[in-house]
Amino acid sequence: PFFGSTGYFPLRPFVLAAEQKVPVYMLVAAWDAETLQPTLNICELHGATPHEQLATLVAKHEALMRARPGAWHLWGEWPLFFHQPKN
């Protein structure tokens, strides 16, 4: 689920990482409100399967969006996250 609905995110990058036995990371860039300096947070996405890793990514992404909605740059593309891909 993504914001209480079915959201569609590509699974293939997670499958490729599993096939190659390499870790998957989530990178989050932001501005520090106190120092006004850019920050880059990197965290490894853990999960036994590609589906679990993707679910972790989506949950973290939603939490970040809820915490700082003005920092997200794809609001204009919002509907695309809820349209099922054709293939």
Side-chain angles (χ1 to χ4, degrees):
F2 185 57
F3 283 91
S5 296
T6 299
Y8 296 94
F9 294 82
L11 180 64
R12 189 69 183 146
F14 300 90
V15 171
L16 290 172
E19 290 172 355
Q20 297 300 311
K21 297 179 176 45
V22 297
V24 178
Y25 295 93
M26 179 177 185
L27 287 75
V28 178
W31 290 99
D32 184 294
E34 292 181 20
T35 66
L36 300 180
Q37 295 295 311
T39 61
L40 178 63
N41 295 308
I42 302 169
C43 67
E44 186 172 350
L45 297 175
H46 298 283
T49 67
H51 283 90
E52 288 178 11
Q53 289 178 320
L54 177 58
T56 299
L57 173 89
V58 171
K60 288 179 180 283
H61 186 59
E62 180 174 334
L64 288 166
M65 290 174 63
R66 287 184 183 278
R68 296 188 62 219
W72 195 49
H73 64 281
L74 289 174
W75 285 114
E77 306 301 329
W78 177 256
L80 296 177
F81 288 91
F82 301 98
H83 289 290
Q84 186 171 8
K86 292 185 177 161
N87 48 353

